[in-house]
Amino acid sequence: MTSQDERGARGRDGAIAVKPSAPPRFDVGGLIRRPETGALIGTVGVLVFFSIVGGRTFLSSAGVSSWLNVAAELGIIALPVGLLMIAGELDLSVGSVLAASSMTTSIVSGNWGMPVFVGILSGLALGLLVGAANGLVVTRTRVPSFVVTLATNFSVAGITLALAIALTGSTSSSLSAGEPAKTLLGSLIGGQFEVAVIWWALAVAVVGWLLHVSKYGNWIFAIGGDLESARTMGIPINGVKIALYMSSALGAALVGVIQAILYNGAQVAAGQAFVFNSIIAVVIGGVLLTGGYGSVVGIVMGTLTFAIVNQGIYFSGWDANLASLILGLMLLAAVLMNNTFRRMALSYSPKSKPVEQGRR
Amino acid sequence: MTTETPTSPPLLRLTDISMSFGSTQVLTDVSLEVRRGEVLCLLGDNGAGKSTLIKIMSGVYQPKSGKIEVEGRPVTFTSPRDSARYGLATVHQFGGTFPLMTIGRSFFVGAEPEKGFWPLKRFDRKFANEVAVREMRQLGITRVTDGDRLVGGLSGGERQALAIGRAVYFGASILVLDEPTAALGVKEAAHVLRIVMAARKKGIAVVFITHQVTHALTVGDHFAVLIRGAKAADFRKGEKSREEITDLMAGGEAMAELEAELDAYENAHEGHAPQIA
C-alpha cells in the first residue's frame, strides 16, 4: 500500500524511522493495561499486612486453609457473577439460590431418602432453572437486572421457607451423604482444606478460558461495553445473558450442594452473605460495575483479598467486627484505584510519544 | 436492470423513498444513487431527515414506499444484518466501538478469528491485532502499531479509521458515514476526510452524511441536499458554490430573511449581534 495518503501521513509524522524498536513483550504499559493490577496490589498488601499482624499461625496450613476455604466458596460464585458484571448485569439472587439448592439436596436425599446423586442433581437443576428465569425476565422485560434479581432473591427465599415448612415442618434439614459424594464435594483435604478449593480451581480454569481465550469472552466484553453495537454486530445478546445467569445460579447452587454435604444438612437462611460478598470480591478485583472491563485473575485476587481480610482479623487479636470496616474501606479504595488504573490504561500508548514529539 | 445506460448500474440506488411515523411525513420521494469509487454527500440541516434515511439504508427502518436497489437488483432490508449482507456498512459518529476493548478484539467483535480444534478453539489474538493494525494503516493511520491498545485511548479520527477499516475488511462495498466529522476538531476532521478519500480510492461507494458544507466540498463527487424530508437539490462537484449550498441547506429564502432580520437587529442594538444560546 503506497497510496498518496499514507505517504502523506508518513511524511508528516517523519518520526516513524526514529521510533524505538518494538518494546519487550512485558512492558509497563502491558501491566497498567491489565484490569487486575490494582487487585494484585490489594491482595499482596493484605497478605503482607495480616502475615505481620497475625503472626506465624496466619501462614500455617491451618491459617491458610481458614481463608482459602472462605475464598473457594465465595470464588465459585464470584467468578460467574463477575462474568455477568462484565456483561453489564448484576445477580443479587445468588444468596437464595444457594439456600434453595442446599435445602433441595438435603430434603431430596435426607428427608426423602433418595440416592444422593439425585439430590445433588436436583439442587443443581434448581439453580439452572432460577438462572434461566432471571435471564429470561431480564432480557424480555428490560427491567434493570438489579431489580429483577433482587425480586428473585426475595421470591426464592420465600418459596424455600414455605416449602421447607410444608414438606419437613422445619426450617432446616439434615443429610448424611455417603461416598463418593462426600469425598467429591464435602470432605476436608488433609483435615483442613475443603474440596471446594479444587472446584474453585477448576472453575477458574473454565471461566478463564471462556473469558480470555475463547471467542465468547469477546462477546461478553462487547455486550458490557456497548450493547447496541454488539447487537448490530450480530452477537446473540439474549442467549449470552441467559447463559451467564444460568452459570451464576449454577455456581451458587454448587456451593449450596457442597455446604449441604460438608455440613451434613441445610438451613433456609443460609447464603445471604454471598449476595454482597460476591459483588465486593468482583469489584475489588477490578471489574467495572457498569460492565465491559475486568479479568478472571482480577476476580480471583478480589476473592482472595476478601477472604484474607475476613479471616485474617481473627489472627490479629482485634475485634472481629473490624473486618467489615476494613472491607468497606477497601472496597472504596479499590474502586478509586481501579478507576485510576483504567484511566492510565486508556491514555497509555507506548509508541505514540516519540511520534508526537516528532510532529512538533 | 436491462433498461439501464450502457455503464454499470449504480452500486446503491434509492428511488422515491418515503417514510412517515404516524401522521408525520419524514421523507418524501427521495431518490439517490452512488457509484463505485464515488463519494455522495448528503447534506441537510438538523431534522431534515438524514438520520431516517440512514436508518432506512442500514435496515433499521423499512420505508413506507419506494425501492432500494443494490447493483441494479431490487432489495429489501429487514434488519441491519440484512443490509450488511448486501455490502452496506454504517459507521456512526463515534465509530460504534468499544472503548475498553483492545483494538484487535473490537475489530473482530461478532466475527472472531479462531485457531485450534473444538472444544479448545482459541480467539486468534495475534491475527486479530495484525489485521486491525494493518487495515488502519491502509487508511493512513500509522501512529497505531499495537493492537493490544484500548480503543478508548485512540483519537476520534483513529476510531473512525478503525470502524471504517473494519467495514472494509468485512467486505463492505457501500459505506454510510453518519456525521463522521461532527464531533471532531479541525485536524482530526481533516484526518477523517483523508480516510474517506482512501476508502474511495479502494473503489468503495461512500455516502457521507454531514451538515458541514466545507467537509462535504472537500471530498464529495456528488451532492444531495435534503430539506424537510425532500431532496431540494442534486448536483455534481463544481456546480455550486459554498454559499449557494449553505443557502440551500437553510432553506434558501429563509436564510436571506434571517440575514435581513439580523441586520435589522444589529442596527437596532448598536451593532451587537443577538445573543445565541
Side-chain angles (χ1 to χ4, degrees):
Chain A
M1 168 89 190
T2 53
S3 80
Q4 206 180 344
D5 303 297
E6 198 189 20
R7 266 188 276 130
R10 274 180 194 280
R12 230 162 30 83
D13 290 346
I16 283 186
V18 297
K19 81 173 185 194
S21 57
R25 206 51 249 162
F26 201 82
D27 56 341
V28 188
L31 197 64
I32 285 174
R33 267 199 298 246
R34 298 190 159 274
E36 63 267 16
T37 307
L40 188 69
I41 295 172
T43 310
V44 172
V46 296
L47 191 62
V48 169
F49 179 78
F50 282 105
S51 300
I52 295 166
V53 178
R56 284 180 56 192
T57 44
F58 180 74
L59 287 178
S60 68
S61 74
V64 171
S65 72
S66 85
W67 49 265
L68 205 54
N69 288 346
V70 169
E73 289 193 6
L74 178 59
I76 291 170
I77 297 176
L79 281 167
V81 165
L83 287 191
L84 259 177
M85 206 183 280
I86 293 172
E89 303 288 354
L90 291 170
D91 187 353
L92 304 181
S93 70
V94 290
S96 293
V97 171
L98 189 153
S101 298
S102 190
M103 283 300 285
T104 304
T105 302
S106 187
I107 291 173
V108 168
S109 299
N111 299 53
W112 296 350
M114 300 232 247
V116 74
F117 78 91
V118 177
I120 292 169
L121 290 181
S122 321
L124 298 180
L126 182 91
L128 289 174
L129 199 71
V130 176
N134 273 336
L136 280 170
V137 174
V138 167
T139 52
R140 290 285 157 83
T141 64
R142 301 202 178 184
V143 173
S145 58
F146 181 96
V147 176
V148 172
T149 56
L150 189 62
T152 308
N153 199 44
F154 272 81
S155 317
V156 172
I159 297 171
T160 310
L161 180 60
L163 276 181
I165 302 235
L167 294 173
T168 70
S170 160
T171 57
S172 63
S173 157
S174 64
L175 161 76
S176 73
E179 296 299 341
K182 193 79 185 168
T183 308
L184 283 176
L185 290 164
S187 58
L188 293 173
I189 301 164
Q192 283 168 334
F193 293 91
E194 281 183 33
V195 76
V197 174
I198 291 169
W199 287 99
W200 182 36
L202 269 174
V204 170
V206 171
V207 173
W209 176 278
L210 266 178
L211 188 66
H212 297 298
V213 185
S214 82
K215 70 173 180 183
Y216 303 108
N218 223 34
W219 295 6
I220 294 170
F221 283 115
I223 289 173
D226 181 347
L227 189 68
E228 283 317 309
S229 294
R231 196 193 305 274
T232 53
M233 288 174 182
I235 292 173
I237 289 169
N238 293 353
V240 171
K241 282 192 178 175
I242 292 169
L244 289 178
Y245 272 108
M246 290 174 75
S247 58
S248 70
L250 181 67
L254 178 62
V255 175
V257 170
I258 286 174
Q259 289 190 349
I261 292 173
L262 179 66
Y263 304 131
N264 300 318
Q267 292 179 27
V268 287
Q272 290 302 335
F274 283 90
V275 174
F276 288 114
N277 293 356
S278 62
I279 293 174
I280 293 171
V282 168
V283 170
I284 289 181
V287 176
L288 185 58
L289 193 63
T290 48
Y293 197 63
S295 74
V296 166
V297 175
I299 297 170
V300 171
M301 291 298 155
T303 308
L304 283 172
T305 305
F306 181 95
I308 290 170
V309 174
N310 207 30
Q311 296 300 305
I313 200 84
Y314 295 109
F315 295 86
S316 66
W318 301 341
D319 181 358
N321 294 328
L322 286 176
S324 293
L325 174 67
I326 297 174
L327 279 169
L329 293 176
M330 277 205 68
L331 180 65
L332 202 59
V335 170
L336 289 172
M337 186 160 65
N338 291 333
N339 283 351
T340 310
F341 275 111
R342 199 168 55 248
R343 254 198 308 280
M344 284 163 80
L346 279 173
S347 60
Y348 193 82
S349 47
K351 287 149 214 172
S352 67
K353 273 179 188 150
V355 177
E356 228 144 45
Q357 279 158 4
R359 248 183 204 169
R360 302 267 136 97
Chain B
M1 294 195 87
T2 47
T3 54
E4 270 297 316
T5 47
T7 55
S8 61
L11 213 44
L12 175 70
R13 189 211 300 265
L14 308 182
T15 314
D16 296 334
I17 296 286
S18 293
M19 185 68 188
S20 56
F21 296 107
S23 60
T24 319
Q25 188 74 20
V26 186
L27 291 173
T28 317
D29 295 337
V30 175
S31 301
L32 295 172
E33 58 176 60
V34 57
R35 293 171 181 278
R36 218 173 274 287
E38 192 184 73
V39 178
L40 166 68
C41 289
L42 190 57
L43 291 151
D45 207 355
N46 293 341
K50 289 176 299 184
S51 329
T52 309
L53 200 55
I54 294 165
K55 284 182 174 152
I56 286 173
M57 286 190 272
S58 58
V60 178
Y61 298 150
Q62 282 75 55
K64 290 272 145 63
S65 66
K67 64 178 176 180
I68 306 174
E69 288 160 274
V70 174
E71 291 185 274
R73 279 174 303 147
V75 292
T76 43
F77 300 147
T78 52
S79 71
R81 294 184 84 173
D82 213 17
S83 134
R85 212 169 30 238
Y86 285 101
L88 264 99
T90 308
V91 174
H92 294 287
Q93 201 170 336
F94 300 104
T97 41
F98 308 91
L100 289 167
M101 286 175 84
T102 68
I103 292 168
R105 278 182 171 269
S106 89
F107 193 92
F108 282 96
V109 163
E112 291 80 4
E114 290 182 295
K115 57 182 180 185
F117 299 99
W118 194 89
L120 297 181
K121 278 194 171 175
R122 287 165 289 158
F123 172 74
D124 194 344
R125 172 172 145 269
K126 189 161 165 281
F127 174 81
N129 287 355
E130 275 172 12
V131 170
V133 169
R134 188 186 73 213
E135 292 298 312
M136 286 178 81
R137 182 169 292 260
Q138 292 205 353
L139 293 171
I141 302 288
T142 49
R143 212 171 70 92
V144 179
T145 51
D146 180 2
D148 272 333
R149 271 179 62 187
L150 298 183
V151 172
L154 299 178
S155 70
E158 287 164 348
R159 281 198 217 189
Q160 288 282 335
L162 181 64
I164 294 172
R166 178 182 205 279
V168 172
Y169 179 79
F170 286 107
S173 50
I174 306 157
L175 264 181
V176 180
L177 305 180
D178 181 9
E179 301 267 10
T181 56
L184 303 180
V186 178
K187 261 176 124 173
E188 282 289 320
H191 211 131
V192 169
L193 296 178
R194 279 221 314 270
I195 293 167
V196 172
M197 310 265 246
R200 181 179 66 173
K201 203 167 287 166
K202 285 179 152 225
I204 288 161
V206 181
V207 181
F208 184 93
I209 291 107
T210 185
H211 63 263
Q212 281 149 312
V213 180
T214 326
H215 294 165
L217 283 173
T218 315
V219 293
D221 299 300
H222 192 164
F223 303 83
V225 180
L226 273 188
I227 296 175
R228 275 177 248 110
K231 194 166 74 172
D234 190 332
F235 50 94
R236 298 199 70 83
K237 193 175 186 133
E239 287 177 5
K240 276 194 170 39
S241 73
R242 187 177 185 281
E243 287 71 28
E244 283 175 298
I245 301 170
T246 316
D247 274 3
L248 258 173
M249 278 170 67
E253 312 132 283
M255 196 63 172
E257 260 172 49
L258 182 65
E259 266 169 27
E261 237 174 74
L262 280 175
D263 283 344
Y265 187 95
E266 280 196 11
N267 291 336
H269 291 79
E270 289 136 9
H272 293 294
Q275 285 202 335
I276 297 163

